[in-house]
Amino acid sequence: MALDSKEGASNSEKIFREIQTEHMIYQINSSADAKKIADKMKKDTDEIAKAMETARHTAYERKISTDEMKISLADKKEKIRTAQKELENIQKNVEKATKKNSDLQIETIKIESAIDKIKDALNDLDQKYLEKSQRDLTDALVKVTLESEKAQSELKALEKLESITNRKLQEFENEYSRLESITNEKINETERTVSNVTTTIEHIINTHDQMTKVSKDLLKSATSTKVPFTQQVNYEIQQNSPQQELEESIV
């Protein structure tokens, strides 16, 4: 009996040591597995955070680009307004020069007509008076002719300047229309990008919060005896599927 008692005690100690060893191995393995899983989760989280940062940076860069295009468009608009004012001023000067030319031509015709009348009335006029009148009219005709030639030259220069300015205005307007179309397209594209990035990040954050809650609930359910574990897992997955929610929100 004493021998059996010793053998029983020896077996008990052996079993106890084996259990202790198993506990130590389990704790070591559990700690290593937990660290490995935690490292992977942290790596995945870091990659997601980096992807979110990249997406935000891309959206921000596009916003800066469209803002610069808006400024360029405003500059083009200002150039158009400046060219329009310049053209209006030139057109007013052309109108004045045209009227001046017309008045000088009328005055030239009047002087030439007066000279002809004096010649016709040669017999009825005193010679001295005739010579003086012809001389005065001739001087006036020369003066008017010179002014008329100068006015015509100015008119041609103004008309040429009007044509150049009008062509420049057309180029500005065409360039503005082209840039406006591109800018509006880029603005719409940028607004969509910013909206999509914001919505996606919100979904990621909500999904992360839901996954964290579901994970805690599932781990708690795994140690609960009230509800079968597999049944609880299936229920939690069906009720809190982040992938499904994200797909539904995008649709």
Side-chain angles (χ1 to χ4, degrees):
M1 292 294 294
L3 181 60
D4 291 339
S5 177
K6 289 181 179 180
E7 288 179 354
S10 177
N11 288 335
S12 297
E13 290 176 359
K14 183 179 180 181
I15 292 171
F16 178 73
R17 284 196 297 273
E18 289 177 352
I19 291 174
Q20 282 186 320
T21 301
E22 289 177 358
H23 286 176
M24 291 178 63
I25 293 173
Y26 175 77
Q27 290 176 351
I28 292 172
N29 290 339
S30 296
S31 177
D33 289 343
K35 187 176 184 306
K36 183 178 179 181
I37 294 171
D39 289 344
K40 183 180 183 305
M41 293 175 68
K42 183 178 183 302
K43 181 181 178 182
D44 292 342
T45 302
D46 290 342
E47 289 178 353
I48 292 173
K50 185 177 180 180
M52 287 193 296
E53 181 181 355
T54 300
R56 280 175 171 167
H57 181 72
T58 300
Y60 179 69
E61 288 294 326
R62 291 185 182 180
K63 181 67 169 57
I64 291 177
S65 178
T66 53
D67 288 343
E68 290 175 348
M69 293 180 71
K70 288 179 183 178
I71 294 173
S72 178
L73 191 65
D75 290 340
K76 297 289 184 185
K77 188 69 174 179
E78 185 61 31
K79 286 183 178 180
I80 290 175
R81 282 195 289 265
T82 301
Q84 286 174 336
K85 290 180 180 179
E86 183 179 353
L87 182 61
E88 289 174 359
N89 291 333
I90 293 173
Q91 288 173 339
K92 289 178 181 179
N93 291 331
V94 168
E95 289 178 1
K96 291 179 181 179
T98 301
K99 186 177 184 304
K100 183 178 180 180
N101 271 274
S102 178
D103 293 342
L104 288 172
Q105 288 176 3
I106 292 172
E107 188 174 352
T108 299
I109 293 172
K110 287 181 178 180
I111 293 174
E112 289 176 344
S113 177
I115 292 175
D116 291 338
K117 287 180 180 179
I118 290 176
K119 289 179 179 179
D120 292 339
L122 181 62
N123 297 328
D124 299 331
L125 293 176
D126 182 80
Q127 186 66 29
K128 292 182 180 180
Y129 178 76
L130 175 63
E131 292 177 356
K132 183 178 185 306
S133 298
Q134 286 183 329
R135 186 170 57 253
D136 291 342
L137 288 173
T138 301
D139 291 343
L141 180 60
V142 171
K143 182 179 178 182
V144 170
T145 301
L146 291 175
E147 290 181 358
S148 179
E149 290 176 353
K150 182 180 178 182
Q152 288 178 1
S153 177
E154 291 176 352
L155 178 59
K156 289 180 180 179
L158 287 171
E159 288 175 341
K160 184 177 181 180
L161 182 60
E162 180 185 18
S163 177
I164 293 173
T165 305
N166 188 56
R167 186 167 60 251
K168 181 172 66 175
L169 176 59
Q170 290 294 326
E171 290 175 356
F172 286 159
E173 289 177 341
N174 292 337
E175 179 65 16
Y176 178 84
S177 297
R178 186 187 69 82
L179 183 60
E180 183 181 35
S181 178
I182 296 173
T183 300
N184 289 335
E185 183 179 347
K186 288 295 182 182
I187 289 173
N188 292 334
E189 179 183 326
T190 299
E191 289 177 349
R192 286 195 300 270
T193 299
V194 172
S195 177
N196 290 341
V197 169
T198 301
T199 302
T200 301
I201 290 177
E202 288 176 354
H203 278 302
I204 291 173
I205 294 172
N206 292 335
T207 299
H208 175 75
D209 293 341
Q210 292 172 7
M211 285 295 296
T212 301
K213 182 179 181 302
V214 169
S215 298
K216 291 179 180 179
D217 291 343
L218 292 177
L219 290 171
K220 184 177 180 181
S221 298
T223 58
S224 174
T225 58
K226 294 181 180 180
V227 180
F229 177 65
T230 55
Q231 179 180 346
Q232 180 69 10
V233 169
N234 291 334
Y235 175 77
E236 292 287 352
I237 291 176
Q238 292 175 359
Q239 294 296 319
N240 299 280
S241 174
Q243 179 65 25
Q244 182 180 358
E245 291 183 4
L246 183 57
E247 291 176 354
E248 290 176 354
S249 64
I250 292 176
V251 173

